[in-house]
Amino acid sequence: MRLTPIVAACLLVAACEGGNGQPSAAPASNARSAPSPHSPVERTKAPTAVAEPPVDGAVAKASAPPADNPCRMQDDAPLEVRPIRAVGTEPFWNVQVDGRCVTYTDPENQSGTRIWARYQKNGKSETWTGAFQGKPFELRSNVQPGCSDGMSDKVYPIAVQLLVSGEVRNGCAEPT
């Protein structure tokens, strides 16, 4: 006997149910099974706006955030900014930038502090402004091939100037 596709589908649905119209017991594994055609459809609404994070955030470890991360959103629009790593000496410091999320580290705070910054681009110059420990924080970058950190032979394609804790510090950066 030959079954039509509709009859075959109905037989498969009936086989998945316990014979009484109710779904059969779930498998012992942790895998989720597909819902029965008789079960209600659960609908969730996607958020329409990303909540604005605090300006002077908690300590955070640098990691690659997903594409829908608030670090890559500003004014409810996607932010197209390439990640960079900036370094400086005397005193030593490091800044990891991803979108508008800036993680600042120095010898006293090697795990780093996440700073939620406002991003602005003006030609080949980029600026991230925020607050660190209640004081203004600003990182400015300018394309400048041949930037030297003053401690190594490494040459960077970007020069940076950092305002942190009331001090202006110079350094170099590169895309990550």
Side-chain angles (χ1 to χ4, degrees), residues 4-43:
T4 65
I6 294 175
V7 173
C10 289
L11 288 173
L12 285 173
V13 169
C16 290
E17 297 177 350
N20 59 1
Q22 298 300 318
S24 61
S29 72
N30 288 337
R32 297 184 78 181
S33 60
S36 162
H38 303 292
S39 63
V41 176
E42 185 177 326
R43 298 190 191 280

Side-chain angles (χ1 to χ4, degrees), residues 92-129:
F92 290 101
W93 57 271
N94 183 323
V95 173
Q96 189 71 38
V97 177
D98 183 19
R100 52 183 282 242
C101 293
V102 176
T103 303
Y104 171 73
T105 60
D106 62 19
E108 289 81 34
N109 182 10
Q110 294 183 14
S111 61
T113 300
R114 169 69 53 89
I115 298 163
W116 295 96
R118 178 109 185 125
Y119 171 77
Q120 184 177 17
K121 183 171 176 93
N122 185 8
K124 293 182 178 183
S125 175
E126 296 173 296
T127 305
W128 292 265
T129 55

Side-chain angles (χ1 to χ4, degrees), residues 72-163:
R72 299 200 182 132
M73 298 291 291
Q74 183 169 286
D75 299 328
D76 295 326
L79 190 59
E80 298 296 325
V81 180
R82 68 180 175 181
I84 64 168
R85 182 181 68 88
V87 296
T89 58
E90 316 245 352
F92 290 101
W93 57 271
N94 183 323
V95 173
Q96 189 71 38
V97 177
D98 183 19
R100 52 183 282 242
C101 293
V102 176
T103 303
Y104 171 73
T105 60
D106 62 19
E108 289 81 34
N109 182 10
Q110 294 183 14
S111 61
T113 300
R114 169 69 53 89
I115 298 163
W116 295 96
R118 178 109 185 125
Y119 171 77
Q120 184 177 17
K121 183 171 176 93
N122 185 8
K124 293 182 178 183
S125 175
E126 296 173 296
T127 305
W128 292 265
T129 55
F132 175 70
Q133 297 177 344
K135 294 184 180 177
F137 179 95
E138 182 175 283
L139 179 70
R140 292 183 178 268
S141 72
N142 291 298
V143 174
Q144 181 183 329
C147 183
S148 171
D149 63 11
M151 294 289 288
S152 69
D153 293 332
K154 185 169 182 169
V155 177
Y156 297 83
I158 303 167
V160 294
Q161 188 175 62
L162 175 67
L163 170 65

